[in-house]
Amino acid sequence: MRRSIRFQIALATLALLPAMLGAVLTAPLGAQQQRPLSRWESQARALLKELVEINTTHSVGNTVTAAEAMARHMRAAGFPSEDVIVVENAPRKGNLVVRMRGRSRAQKPILLLSHIDVVEADPRDWTLPPFTFIEQNGSFYGRGVADDKDESAIHLTLLLRMRAEGITPDRDIIVALTADEEGGPENGVKWILANRPELLDAAYALNEGGGGRMEDGRRISNDVQASEKKVANFILEATNSGGHSSVPRPDNAIYSLARALARFGESHQPVKLNEVSRAYFARQAEIVGGETGAAMRRIVANERDDAAAAIIARDPSNNSRMRTTCVATMLSGGHAMNALPQRARATVNCRILPDETMETVQARIVAAVADTSVHITVERAAEDSPASPLTADLLRTFERTAQEMWPGMPTVPTMSTGATDGRFLRNAGIPVYGISGLFYENANAHGMNENVSSKSFYEGLEFMYRLVRQLTSGPGM
């Protein structure tokens, strides 16, 4: 009898094996042995998947589609239609602005900003389909998972969670998902500020640009972007009358430009620290220690310490935080294989410190080139982006939240070497802080197989939920 029962159980188990095996095989790779997701982790993952699988590139994509898709989720959750607004700044360019009403109008809202447009992604250049959300080996893959649709999904999810939990913040919370941060006919944030400024009017904004920093799989710091560099392009051009290539002349335009670029390439913009970069190097000195840490302490004390600057500059990122940087990025010359070149030109891309002027940088380039036959003109003028104040109460809240999540984790103010939509808000008088709690390592944003670890994504979700709760549940900051 017992053998018969065991035999029947064995048969039943065998019958179930195909279904059991199918369930394992269809589970996301890298997630088959993970803990079950919470309701809000599942929600955030679902929103990210939906966003990634809507093509929002400038060439053929549509951010109106993405904005409307997210708007439907917010309306379905009970957010009033007047607080879920999609505005179009150009054909196929849509922006979503969602407002969660707070108890008081005495304090201005806080703004959570992210962009839903993405850079181009040719499937032929990827080993995974860029517009298919794929989870494998503990990471999410797809264009935008790290820049910047992950933050869009997180910001919307924390509003959904607060509403479901019956939480009323002490002030309004605005979530804005915007278009054309990566390029396009008219930036979404800039357009809204010019045409619908009331939608983004806030005490301050939390944006991309900061986040967790990792080295060799180890968390180093949770960085807060409080300033960013300005972008300017200059054209270096040499010209002459040219002629037949069989009769060379000493004033060859290509040679003139090449000599000018060689001199330019050996020059450096001077070290110049500001409030944010000074705080960055002071905190980093404690983290990195050793020779580099000592050099950082010296540069904070004396920015003319060339020996300290040379040590710090071994890391290209830290070098860029010390000074304005300029680099030749494009080169062209000549018009025929059998003709002397009449024109040779190079594009020089500069990332300028917030408190330096484009004219000052141009004068330094002219001095470095040291050739009046090479003309230097502005192709793209720099837009000002004033630094946001390092408000003590805010920084303490950022650090307290990070310590709750990752005990011992330092919070470091930083200046982005690139540019974000934060510059438009800063110019409108709205301070911006880049912070996310997302730790990226080899995310390859803008590149092939862009990715973010699922663990980092879920931790960033929890970090931002806790942070926004703290920022909106007590005395105003």
Side-chain angles (χ1 to χ4, degrees):
M1 181 69 178
R2 287 174 182 168
R3 288 187 61 188
S4 175
I5 291 172
R6 285 198 296 268
F7 182 70
Q8 291 175 23
I9 292 172
L11 285 177
T13 302
L14 284 172
L16 289 172
L17 275 178
M20 294 165 64
L21 182 60
V24 171
L25 293 176
T26 56
L29 291 177
Q32 292 166 9
Q33 296 182 355
Q34 290 180 356
R35 61 170 176 79
L37 298 182
S38 71
R39 172 186 176 183
W40 302 112
E41 288 171 338
S42 295
Q43 175 72 77
R45 183 187 184 279
L47 293 180
L48 179 58
K49 180 180 188 297
E50 188 172 359
L51 281 170
V52 167
E53 295 185 348
I54 299 172
N55 186 326
T56 54
T57 58
H58 171 58
S59 60
V60 298
N62 194 319
T63 53
V64 177
T65 304
E68 290 286 7
M70 296 300 104
R72 286 193 290 272
H73 289 290
M74 305 312 286
R75 294 186 189 111
F79 283 85
S81 294
E82 61 269 23
D83 290 336
V84 182
I85 299 171
V86 175
V87 293
E88 298 182 33
N89 57 294
R92 297 187 293 110
K93 308 294 183 177
N95 309 265
L96 171 64
V97 182
V98 183
R99 184 180 294 261
M100 184 175 200
R101 300 287 176 176
R103 288 187 296 271
S104 170
R105 298 293 180 271
Q107 301 178 71
K108 280 192 168 185
I110 67 168
L111 169 63
L112 309 182
L113 179 68
S114 63
H115 64 88
I116 48 175
D117 65 310
V118 295
V119 297
E120 301 296 326
D122 188 338
R124 294 173 297 181
D125 297 333
W126 287 47
T127 61
L128 297 170
F131 301 108
T132 300
F133 179 86
I134 293 175
E135 182 176 0
Q136 65 180 28
N137 301 322
S139 291
F140 300 148
Y141 290 85
R143 176 57 89 223
V145 295
D147 186 16
D148 185 30
K149 291 179 175 180
D150 53 345
E151 294 191 49
S152 298
I154 285 171
H155 293 170
L156 291 175
T157 299
L158 70 86
L159 286 194
L160 291 170
R161 179 177 174 181
M162 288 177 69
R163 183 175 181 85
E165 292 175 346
I167 295 167
T168 302
D170 65 359
R171 63 172 80 187
D172 289 4
I173 301 170
I174 303 169
V175 168
L177 279 55
T178 59
D180 283 2
E181 194 270 353
E182 303 289 5
E186 185 164 15
N187 177 274
V189 173
K190 185 177 181 180
W191 187 92
I192 294 172
L193 288 170
N195 296 275
R196 298 287 304 276
E198 75 282 358
L199 294 179
L200 301 182
D201 188 25
Y204 55 86
L206 307 183
N207 186 31
E208 63 173 337
R213 195 146 46 88
M214 299 184 73
E215 291 180 8
D216 301 323
R218 185 170 60 92
R219 294 184 183 86
I220 301 299
S221 61
N222 190 35
D223 293 353
V224 180
Q225 187 249 50
S227 66
E228 59 187 50
K229 285 186 166 182
K230 301 176 286 191
V231 183
N233 289 337
F234 297 94
I235 299 298
L236 278 59
E237 189 170 55
T239 60
N240 62 41
S241 58
H244 201 286
S245 62
S246 64
V247 189
R249 294 165 33 171
D251 60 345
N252 186 297
I254 290 176
Y255 298 161
S256 295
L257 180 63
R259 287 191 290 268
L261 286 174
R263 289 189 292 271
F264 163 75
E266 293 174 355
S267 67
H268 298 286
Q269 300 281 329
V271 172
K272 189 176 183 203
L273 302 186
N274 52 44
E275 180 190 19
V276 176
S277 57
R278 197 175 298 278
Y280 170 82
F281 284 117
R283 295 302 303 272
Q284 279 298 307
E286 302 170 9
I287 296 169
V288 301
E291 181 187 34
T292 302
M296 289 176 173
R297 283 189 287 271
R298 285 161 50 198
I299 208 73
V300 169
N302 176 18
E303 63 185 32
R304 296 184 180 180
D305 188 331
D306 293 339
I311 294 170
I312 297 168
R314 293 171 187 167
D315 180 329
S317 295
N318 282 332
N319 179 58
S320 293
R321 291 185 175 94
M322 286 193 298
R323 50 166 57 99
T324 290
T325 58
C326 295
V327 60
T329 55
M330 296 179 69
L331 187 64
S332 63
H335 59 283
M337 289 185 294
N338 57 353
L340 299 177
Q342 295 174 205
R343 187 181 307 274
R345 57 185 278 154
T347 298
V348 169
N349 176 260
C350 291
R351 303 300 174 122
I352 302 173
L353 293 170
D355 50 357
E356 285 200 319
T357 67
M358 185 179 68
E359 291 74 19
T360 299
V361 174
Q362 185 173 0
R364 291 184 192 136
I365 297 173
V366 170
V369 166
D371 186 345
T372 56
S373 71
V374 176
H375 303 286
I376 300 171
T377 56
V378 177
E379 182 183 52
R380 170 182 172 174
E383 296 178 278
D384 279 338
S385 184
S388 300
L390 297 178
T391 307
D393 285 346
L394 269 178
L395 289 178
R396 276 194 293 269
T397 304
F398 295 157
E399 186 147 32
R400 184 167 59 247
T401 308
Q403 291 289 332
E404 289 176 2
M405 294 283 298
W406 309 284
M409 176 67 61
T411 296
V412 180
T414 190
M415 174 183 64
S416 287
T417 56
T420 73
D421 279 343
R423 67 189 186 276
F424 301 114
L425 294 169
R426 289 184 173 118
N427 283 320
I430 301 173
V432 180
Y433 302 93
I435 185 165
S436 67
L438 289 159
F439 284 79
Y440 298 113
E441 187 171 34
N442 304 319
N444 212 28
H446 291 207
M448 179 185 72
N449 295 347
E450 179 180 344
N451 65 90
V452 64
S453 82
S454 56
K455 183 175 187 289
S456 175
F457 177 73
Y458 297 134
E459 287 184 345
L461 172 67
E462 180 64 20
F463 173 83
M464 286 302 296
Y465 173 77
R466 294 187 187 191
L467 177 60
V468 171
R469 286 292 313 277
Q470 290 196 49
L471 292 173
T472 59
S473 62
M477 280 183 282

